[in-house]
């Protein structure tokens, strides 16, 4: 099992909301009803922004088709996507614990057109249909690049011709050198992470560290060009980690 998969599964067991949005109010021991409501409202805002973006860029309404949310977590985006469309929405994640929790939220919010499913972290399930809209947000940065590129290729393959792929991917950072050095040491050296985590939480522990992998825009555009003749880009900055939201309408091979 790769480090990215094992770390995410660990977050799924201990802190699934903080693992998505790293704010202390989303820690399991601090999560309130108001905090949970705010967590899902942030997902609703993203879905509305996505619908507007795809309409403006690609003249397509994502509310009219079926949807795949790749790396769905507890359903922060998949649930509002399911409320947006009457078609079937799928959410995929590698963590069994997270999918169990996502199904609880799905039932409580009455999303009968939503299906959650685990995948093995290497390839997509064989029973997936073709999708009109495929979304992946703050997901690929946590997947090793060689695996991420293969999965991105598979997501493009499962996007229906005329359908839309929207994916956010990181390409670099502008962190102060001390902050990046600390992050790098935590991801590469387990004894350092143990000491850091123990001092931070004032108890002996080793908090899992989510990788931040940088993808080559050149390699991404080479892949996208196989499936579309136009890619729209919107830059992102998450805590000093630089990336972009890429959106394209599939016009190449099915």
């Amino acid at each position: 099992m790769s480090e990215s998969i094992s770390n995410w599964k660990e977050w799924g067991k201990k802190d699934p909301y903080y693992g998505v949005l790293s704010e202390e109010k989303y820690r399991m021991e601090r999560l309130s009803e108001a905090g949970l409501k705010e967590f899902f409202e942030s997902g609703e805002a993203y879905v509305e922004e996505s619908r507007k973006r795809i309409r403006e860029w690609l003249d397509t309404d994502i509310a009219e088709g079926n949807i795949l949310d790749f790396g769905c977590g507890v359903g922060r985006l998949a649930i509002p996507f399911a409320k947006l469309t009457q078609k079937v929405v799928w959410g995929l994640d590698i963590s069994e614990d997270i999918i169990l929790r996502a199904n609880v939220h799905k039932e409580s919010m009455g999303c009968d057109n939503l299906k959650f499913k685990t995948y093995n972290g290497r390839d997509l399930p064989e029973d997936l249909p073709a999708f009109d809209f495929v979304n992946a947000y703050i997901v690929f940065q946590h997947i090793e690049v060689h695996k991420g590129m293969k999965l991105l290729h598979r997501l493009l393959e499962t996007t229906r011709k005329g359908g839309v792929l929207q994916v956010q991917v990181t390409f670099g950072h502008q962190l102060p050198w001390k902050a990046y050095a600390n992050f790098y040491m935590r991801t590469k050296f387990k004894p350092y992470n143990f000491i850091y985590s123990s001092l931070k939480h004032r108890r002996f522990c080793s908090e899992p560290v989510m990788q931040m992998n940088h993808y080559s825009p050149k390699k991404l555009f080479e892949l996208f060009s196989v499936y579309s003749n136009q890619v729209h880009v919107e830059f992102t900055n998450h805590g000093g980690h630089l990336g972009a939201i890429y959106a394209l309408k599939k016009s190449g091979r099915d």
Side-chain angles (χ1 to χ4, degrees):
M1 183 185 298
S2 73
E3 186 177 4
S4 63
I5 293 175
S6 60
N7 282 348
W8 182 240
K9 287 194 173 188
E10 190 69 17
W11 279 116
K13 289 180 180 179
K14 295 182 177 179
D15 244 335
Y17 305 94
Y18 180 81
V20 175
L21 298 178
S22 300
E23 298 181 42
E24 290 300 316
K25 62 185 174 182
Y26 297 130
R27 293 276 192 185
M28 283 296 292
E29 68 268 20
R30 299 184 182 181
L31 189 63
S32 63
E33 286 296 323
L36 188 62
K37 182 174 181 289
E38 185 178 328
F39 179 86
F40 280 100
E41 284 177 347
S42 71
E44 292 172 2
Y46 171 84
V47 167
E48 284 302 317
E49 289 169 4
S50 295
R51 187 184 189 187
K52 179 180 178 182
R53 181 186 300 119
I54 300 306
R55 273 176 164 171
E56 292 178 354
W57 286 356
L58 299 169
D59 193 26
T60 298
D61 188 355
I62 62 175
E64 296 177 355
N66 65 339
I67 296 172
L68 170 63
D69 184 34
F70 177 74
C72 63
V74 297
R76 185 178 76 100
L77 305 181
I79 287 173
F81 275 133
K83 292 179 179 179
L84 179 67
T85 181
Q86 295 183 347
K87 300 292 182 64
V88 176
V89 174
W90 287 66
L92 287 185
D93 203 276
I94 59 173
S95 168
E96 296 85 356
D97 295 279
I98 278 181
I99 291 299
L100 287 172
R101 194 175 292 274
N103 275 313
V104 171
H105 291 308
K106 162 193 163 181
E107 295 299 326
S108 68
M109 298 186 192
C111 298
D112 296 332
N113 62 329
L114 178 55
K115 297 182 179 181
F116 286 114
K117 189 179 181 71
T118 57
Y119 79 106
N120 61 19
R122 299 180 302 276
D123 200 0
L124 303 184
E126 293 182 358
D127 60 345
L128 284 183
F131 290 96
D132 298 298
F133 179 60
V134 174
N135 176 77
Y137 182 63
I138 54 175
V139 176
F140 277 92
Q141 60 200 37
H142 301 313
I143 302 174
E144 295 92 341
V145 173
H146 68 284
K147 291 183 178 180
M149 291 299 292
K150 291 178 181 177
L151 284 166
L152 187 52
H153 175 262
R154 288 289 293 115
L155 289 177
L156 283 159
E157 286 291 311
T158 202
T159 303
R160 182 176 286 116
K161 187 173 182 180
V164 171
L165 171 84
Q166 174 180 258
V167 59
Q168 182 265 344
V169 185
T170 47
F171 58 77
H173 74 89
Q174 58 179 21
L175 295 170
W177 75 266
K178 287 184 178 180
Y180 185 75
N182 177 61
F183 176 77
Y184 180 87
M185 292 289 288
R186 290 188 65 204
T187 59
K188 300 299 181 182
F189 301 99
K190 292 182 179 180
Y192 180 90
N193 185 48
F194 175 78
I195 295 171
Y196 175 89
S197 301
S198 299
L199 291 172
K200 177 182 177 181
H201 296 286
R202 299 181 181 180
R203 58 182 174 83
F204 291 124
C205 65
S206 186
E207 188 173 65
V209 186
M210 296 302 296
Q211 299 180 10
M212 291 298 292
N213 296 295
H214 300 152
Y215 289 67
S216 162
K218 179 177 181 291
K219 294 293 185 183
L220 290 171
F221 282 120
E222 286 175 355
L223 176 60
F224 295 153
S225 68
V226 175
Y227 296 90
S228 182
N229 58 13
Q230 188 177 45
V231 179
H232 295 265
V233 180
E234 181 177 295
F235 292 110
T236 61
N237 184 338
H238 294 151
H241 292 281
L242 305 177
I245 294 174
Y246 301 92
L248 59 92
K249 181 178 287 189
K250 185 173 176 180
S251 57
R253 66 189 182 191
D254 249 339

